[in-house]
Amino acid sequence: MGQTSGHQERSKKPEVAPSEVMEAEIEVQNNKEETKEVKAKNQKLTSVFGLADLKNEAIGLYNLGQSCCLNSLLQVFLMNIHFTRILRRITVPSSPAQRRSNVPYQMLLLLEKMQCGKRKAVGPTELACCLSEHRVELFVQHDAAQLFLTLWNLLKKQMKKPELVKELRDLYMICIQEHVACQKCSFEVKSKSTMLTLPLPVLDANSHRLKTLEDCLQYFFHPEELTGQNMCFCQQCGRKTTFLQSMKLVHLPQTLTLHLKRFCFERSSRTHKLSHSLPFPQELDLRQVLTESQCQADDSEKATWQYELFAVVAHSGSASCGHYCAYIRSLTDCKWYCFNDSEVCQVSWDDVKCTYGRSNLYWRETAYLLFYMKKHPQQPQPGVSECL
């Protein structure tokens, strides 16, 4: 097809086979339809996510193959009204390739899929493929604390609007001040830093079990003496001396994330899970837990340190294999739900308390990440954002 016959003069224009013409026309038409679809979807996002904050429905996520950890964390993000209010104001990437690799946008589309229709569960396939482009492995068992940090960093990095990045930091980032003081002289170093989670040990230095979440918090902020191999060089003394290291709490975000360090390394370099019981409260007042010496904040800041439990990411199984699920309190109906991949059901507080742990049941569910929400949010104070 497309060839001349006899002595007919060849056209100076390059010939194109009819099939190629048809394919080109089809491609142009598809591009037009894709452009219309994208524009329509982008226009729809504003209206859909204006209502998403009010619906806040419990929709499951299908397991794509060891994606229970990702599913649990996505549910915690997307059930947080304060987070979705930030998410629905992102800048939509201009090109299809940019949209495919943009984590905030793909998370936004997943939320749209969860909010539209009456499906009991949806698949996070596009978001998972997007994460794989950022070297987040699929079909492997993840650590929830590490994956939470990875997701948060990708969200912060790809949100182009500075005001949204600031809101995201205000929503999750913790500010602390570290003090390191020489015990031989008056030399002292102070430095501020931020943390996404407070990594709370569940054992003390002598491997004794800490009994409650409040004990873990107090132990985390308890001063530690740096001796022996841990001694530091003192500029004033001119040699290594014993130092006292302590941390003081400066600022707490609206969503406070506590990481219970239930996985520890044994001498054999094997990771071991600590499953003993560790109760945590529904209401947490940091003013009642920490002492004055453990805080570096004024009264107006500390007045907002009253929290209610919002979500629990729990792990069942051993350190080498297991399963994650999330218990989340809806911010609209104040009821607790268990998100176990595609299965979602309403539960009671007694069901949530079952994640306290129990030593004699090795495979029992144990809380791993705790998310607390401020009862009385406060507007950012001047100077606070500098340390964030």
Side-chain angles (χ1 to χ4, degrees):
M1 295 178 63
Q3 293 184 0
T4 58
S5 60
H7 299 284
Q8 185 178 359
E9 184 180 355
R10 294 180 182 271
S11 171
K12 294 182 180 179
K13 294 182 180 180
E15 294 181 342
V16 181
S19 60
E20 295 178 355
V21 174
M22 292 176 62
E23 290 177 2
E25 290 176 351
I26 293 172
E27 184 177 356
V28 170
Q29 184 65 27
N30 288 341
N31 289 338
K32 288 181 179 179
E33 291 177 358
E34 182 182 358
T35 302
K36 290 180 181 179
E37 183 182 352
V38 170
K39 287 182 178 179
K41 180 170 284 188
N42 292 342
Q43 290 174 354
K44 187 180 179 183
L45 287 178
T46 303
S47 59
V48 169
F49 292 110
L51 299 174
D53 293 340
L54 300 177
K55 290 180 69 178
N56 202 229
E57 293 180 354
I59 307 296
L61 294 173
Y62 289 115
N63 193 310
L64 305 178
Q66 299 192 50
S67 64
C68 58
C69 182
L70 174 63
N71 289 347
S72 298
L73 293 174
L74 289 176
Q75 296 286 13
V76 173
F77 272 118
L78 299 179
M79 287 291 287
N80 187 336
I81 291 175
H82 308 291
F83 173 76
T84 58
R85 286 175 180 168
I86 297 173
L87 191 65
R88 64 185 173 86
R89 285 154 45 214
I90 64 170
T91 301
V92 176
S94 56
S95 71
Q98 289 175 331
R99 290 192 289 271
R100 283 193 298 269
S101 63
N102 187 276
V103 174
Y105 179 73
Q106 290 299 328
M107 196 176 286
L108 193 62
L109 293 184
L110 178 62
L111 180 58
E112 179 194 34
K113 192 189 298 185
M114 296 170 74
Q115 292 290 336
C116 297
K118 297 181 179 180
R119 288 173 289 184
K120 293 183 179 180
V122 298
T125 309
E126 291 79 7
L127 177 57
C129 292
C130 171
L131 291 171
S132 68
E133 292 188 25
H134 298 281
R135 299 181 180 180
V136 177
E137 291 186 80
L138 303 180
F139 315 116
V140 298
Q141 180 169 296
H142 285 279
D143 179 88
Q146 294 177 357
L147 186 57
F148 178 62
L149 177 61
T150 299
L151 290 174
W152 193 89
N153 282 331
L154 286 171
L155 286 165
K156 180 171 67 73
K157 180 181 179 181
Q158 293 188 305
M159 282 189 180
K160 300 302 181 183
K161 295 181 180 179
E163 64 272 20
L164 296 186
V165 175
K166 182 183 182 305
E167 288 183 36
L168 188 67
R169 295 174 71 92
D170 290 341
L171 181 58
Y172 287 104
M173 293 302 290
I174 306 159
C175 183
I176 62 172
Q177 186 176 68
E178 184 178 0
H179 291 243
V180 183
C182 176
Q183 298 300 284
K184 298 293 183 181
C185 66
S186 58
F187 180 74
E188 183 179 20
V189 177
K190 299 179 182 179
S191 60
K192 284 185 179 179
S193 61
T194 56
M195 311 173 74
L196 182 62
T197 67
L198 284 182
L200 303 180
V202 297
L203 302 176
D204 64 16
N206 298 315
S207 297
H208 295 150
R209 297 172 182 174
L210 298 172
K211 296 181 179 180
T212 65
L213 178 68
E214 292 86 346
D215 291 340
C216 297
L217 283 162
Q218 290 172 354
Y219 185 77
F220 179 81
F221 286 98
H222 187 74
E224 179 184 3
E225 196 171 53
L226 304 178
T227 60
Q229 295 181 346
N230 295 322
M231 289 196 301
C232 302
F233 182 83
C234 176
Q235 297 180 7
Q236 192 161 296
C237 296
R239 58 187 178 86
K240 283 190 174 183
T241 62
T242 299
F243 271 69
L244 188 66
Q245 182 184 46
S246 61
M247 285 185 288
K248 299 178 185 292
L249 198 52
V250 177
H251 172 76
L252 287 177
Q254 183 158 341
T255 302
L256 173 63
T257 309
L258 304 178
H259 168 204
L260 302 179
K261 299 174 67 176
R262 286 194 174 273
F263 297 106
C264 66
F265 288 100
E266 298 177 333
R267 291 182 179 180
S268 60
S269 298
R270 294 181 60 184
T271 306
H272 176 68
K273 181 179 176 181
L274 303 169
S275 302
H276 65 271
S277 177
L278 185 73
F280 47 85
Q282 288 194 71
E283 296 190 356
L284 180 65
D285 190 342
L286 272 295
R287 301 172 304 173
Q288 304 297 322
V289 176
L290 304 180
T291 64
E292 287 292 329
S293 62
Q294 294 173 328
C295 304
Q296 188 69 39
D298 56 27
D299 292 338
S300 63
E301 164 68 24
K302 288 191 285 187
T304 67
W305 288 2
Q306 300 175 64
Y307 286 85
E308 287 182 312
L309 187 63
F310 163 63
V312 177
V313 171
H315 178 271
S316 57
S318 65
S320 58
C321 63
H323 180 70
Y324 285 100
C325 70
Y327 294 85
I328 305 174
R329 181 174 59 85
S330 170
L331 297 179
T332 54
D333 62 17
C334 297
K335 296 176 181 177
W336 281 96
Y337 294 87
C338 176
F339 293 81
N340 188 3
D341 287 332
S342 59
E343 298 294 326
V344 181
C345 62
Q346 186 179 332
V347 295
S348 66
W349 171 241
D350 285 337
D351 294 317
V352 180
K353 289 196 296 184
C354 288
T355 66
Y356 284 174
R358 190 180 298 177
S359 297
N360 60 342
L361 293 176
Y362 186 66
W363 284 81
R364 190 179 182 85
E365 270 189 332
T366 50
Y368 188 50
L369 294 177
L370 303 175
F371 298 83
Y372 281 87
M373 197 79 70
K374 264 186 182 179
K375 296 175 67 175
H376 309 291
Q378 179 191 44
Q379 295 297 324
Q381 297 294 317
V384 171
S385 59
E386 296 176 4
C387 70
L388 301 179

